[in-house]
Amino acid sequence: MSEALRTFFSPQILGPEIFYGSSVGLFLIGLYMILVKKNLVKIVIGLSFIESGVNLFLISLGYVWGKTAPILNKPELMKEPVKYAVDPVPQALVLTAIVIGVAVTAMALSIVIVLHDKYGTLDISKIKELKW
Amino acid sequence: MSTLVLYLALAMAILMLVGAFVVVVTKDLLVAVIASAVVDLVLAILFYILQAPDVAITQASIGAGLTTAIFVVVVRKTKRFEDD
Amino acid sequence: MNWIIVLGLIALGTVLTILRTALGPTAPDRVVAVDSMTTITTALLVLLGLLMDRYIYLDISLVYAALAFIATLAIARYLEGGV
Amino acid sequence: MLTIIGWIMIYIGATFLFLGALGIFRFPDVYNRLQAGTKCTTLGAFSSIVGVGLVHPAWLPKTLLIAFFILLTNPISSHALGRASYKSGVKLWEGSVIDKCKEFEECQKKEEEQE
């Protein structure tokens, strides 16, 4: 029993699955909020949860066990950067994706404010007209 | 040493899912905004543990500061409670 | 052994503040819990920088300590009546 | 020697952070929780961050800067929160004995009536 527990909690097994599992869980919670909830603000919060889940998944794909950040201010890092640093490409990708995500969220929230001024409600099942 | 950091990451991932569950359950939109700020905060710690400090800086300043302020302005301009 | 005790105490504190965030009766309770969780997180990031032995990681907690109270101020202004 | 002092400060800071979180979980009222959550966590964060600077003496200026920012921003947010929760009508716990803000408002109202 303790042998199985030690195998389960060893770093080779425990390493990436934490981050994969939590990112998939965050993605599924955001998808549930978009599909089921009727309030518009909660739908926008679910959209930002989906963005966060995808960002966490991309970062955890670039992580290598036991290596450090790709900022070259140490002598052994300057000499052999491939041996000691993680993959820097997903980090640059996600850095752009976070900023674009904030812009998308602000755009969606401005549309929510306009809809509330027009209809007087935030319930999405009461907004039925096609033209406004 | 690094195994300890992974146990910390496991605890933080569970706490992040608890915060997301609070967002799903509650009926008060202000409480939902506060709990989504908690989710962004814990996500910055996870980026830090994954050795991505620049992404963690961006997530901390934008996710915990700017996004929450925008949502609070929207809740101010519309309604606070979610009606059935 | 040092690291197990210190990180264990701080992680337990984070768990308690998130429980108060989930359980708290009114909205100001939850905001107080989130505000003190921000401070605990700043200390945790500095300690993790010492554990990983990178000087450059202290910048994250600098940004955290300088910027993370904007959300608390916005929510406090909302509860007071204006934005 | 400096390393030992730094580790002692880190232990004090971690203990105070845990006690502040315990106070937030156990106290009965918003205002009591505000006391615990501001004072204990400010002391704990200050002590542990300066302790890290004493363990690595080359890191000391940046850690002092972080501690200065925490000392600057933490009382501001707690003051705004206390004022907002009093103005939004959160009741005091029934065991609390004094309410200075109510006395001040009544005194101000009496002075206006006299004029």
Side-chain angles (χ1 to χ4, degrees):
Chain A
M1 186 58 198
S2 73
E3 187 64 32
L5 275 182
R6 201 172 297 131
T7 314
F8 180 72
F9 281 114
S10 67
Q12 285 80 19
I13 292 184
L14 191 66
E17 272 78 7
I18 301 168
F19 305 106
Y20 294 165
S22 59
S23 63
V24 170
L26 203 59
F27 187 91
L28 288 182
I29 286 176
L31 194 64
Y32 174 80
M33 286 178 72
I34 284 185
L35 289 181
V36 173
K37 293 288 177 182
K38 289 200 175 68
N39 196 304
L40 274 168
V41 179
K42 278 204 171 180
I43 290 175
V44 179
I45 291 179
L47 199 67
S48 73
F49 276 1
I50 285 186
E51 287 169 4
S52 301
V54 173
N55 289 340
L56 185 59
F57 185 69
L58 280 176
I59 288 286
S60 61
L61 277 184
Y63 178 65
V64 186
W65 167 254
K67 293 186 180 180
T68 182
I71 299 172
L72 307 179
N73 58 353
K74 275 186 172 183
E76 68 266 20
L77 273 176
M78 296 274 275
K79 208 175 294 174
E80 283 176 314
V82 181
K83 197 173 171 184
Y84 292 107
V86 300
D87 194 2
V89 178
Q91 300 187 6
L93 205 68
V94 169
L95 193 64
T96 317
I98 287 174
V99 181
I100 293 176
V102 170
V104 169
T105 306
M107 179 73 195
L109 285 176
S110 68
I111 293 176
V112 167
I113 290 180
V114 172
L115 275 178
H116 182 265
D117 282 346
K118 198 71 183 174
Y119 287 97
T121 180
L122 280 181
D123 198 348
I124 201 169
S125 63
K126 289 176 187 168
I127 301 175
K128 289 174 184 167
E129 303 170 13
L130 285 179
K131 216 165 78 175
W132 43 280
Chain B
M1 180 196 89
S2 301
T3 316
L4 193 62
V5 177
L6 276 185
Y7 289 148
L8 189 70
L10 182 62
M12 289 301 161
I14 293 173
L15 288 186
M16 185 177 72
L17 292 184
V18 168
F21 185 71
V22 171
V23 175
V24 174
V25 164
T26 181
K27 291 285 183 190
D28 193 350
L29 286 180
L30 189 66
V31 174
V33 172
I34 295 167
S36 72
V38 168
V39 172
D40 280 338
L41 207 70
V42 179
L43 201 65
I45 304 176
L46 283 183
F47 284 149
Y48 189 100
I49 292 174
L50 282 172
Q51 312 283 338
D54 42 358
V55 185
I57 286 180
T58 314
Q59 180 73 36
S61 61
I62 283 181
L66 186 62
T67 311
T68 312
I70 294 174
F71 272 110
V72 167
V73 169
V74 171
V75 171
R76 178 70 190 170
K77 282 190 181 300
T78 61
K79 277 185 293 190
R80 176 173 167 179
F81 289 99
E82 174 184 10
D83 41 14
D84 293 323
Chain C
M1 195 59 208
N2 283 334
W3 284 113
I4 293 177
I5 295 173
V6 170
L7 289 186
L9 278 176
I10 293 181
L12 214 57
T14 315
V15 170
L16 286 178
T17 49
I18 284 200
L19 276 181
R20 179 47 69 194
T21 307
L23 296 176
T26 61
D29 286 322
R30 304 171 200 253
V31 188
V32 169
V34 172
D35 185 32
S36 58
M37 188 194 157
T38 305
T39 313
I40 294 175
T41 301
T42 310
L44 174 66
L45 290 186
V46 175
L47 286 172
L48 279 180
L50 179 62
L51 176 59
M52 293 173 185
D53 201 13
R54 296 296 301 269
Y55 178 64
I56 205 79
Y57 283 6
L58 290 183
D59 290 346
I60 304 170
S61 37
L62 192 62
V63 172
Y64 236 78
L67 284 184
F69 79 116
I70 294 176
T72 311
L73 277 186
I75 296 174
R77 293 295 292 174
Y78 171 73
L79 285 173
E80 202 170 337
V83 166
Chain D
M1 187 61 206
L2 217 56
T3 310
I4 297 173
I5 297 175
W7 271 106
I8 289 173
M9 285 183 76
I10 289 174
Y11 268 108
I12 292 173
T15 313
F16 268 93
L17 287 177
F18 172 69
L19 287 180
L22 190 65
I24 281 183
F25 186 66
R26 286 287 297 165
F27 276 168
D29 191 8
V30 179
Y31 308 101
N32 293 328
R33 282 175 195 146
L34 204 60
Q35 288 286 330
T38 303
K39 291 185 177 177
C40 285
T41 55
T42 304
L43 177 63
F46 183 81
S47 175
S48 60
I49 287 171
V50 176
V52 169
L54 287 181
V55 170
H56 271 265
W59 296 9
L60 195 55
K62 196 177 275 188
T63 52
L64 281 181
L65 193 62
I66 297 169
F68 174 69
F69 272 121
I70 283 182
L71 285 184
L72 202 63
T73 62
N74 217 347
I76 296 176
S77 62
S78 81
H79 173 74
L81 265 177
R83 183 185 164 91
S85 60
Y86 191 85
K87 282 199 173 182
S88 72
V90 178
K91 293 282 190 298
L92 270 73
W93 181 45
E94 63 262 17
S96 44
V97 291
I98 196 165
D99 191 356
K100 281 288 186 186
C101 192
K102 198 176 169 185
E103 287 180 11
F104 175 69
E105 283 176 354
E106 283 176 356
C107 189
Q108 229 174 11
K109 203 177 292 178
K110 206 174 292 179
E111 279 185 359
E112 284 179 359
E113 284 176 358
Q114 279 180 0
E115 287 174 357

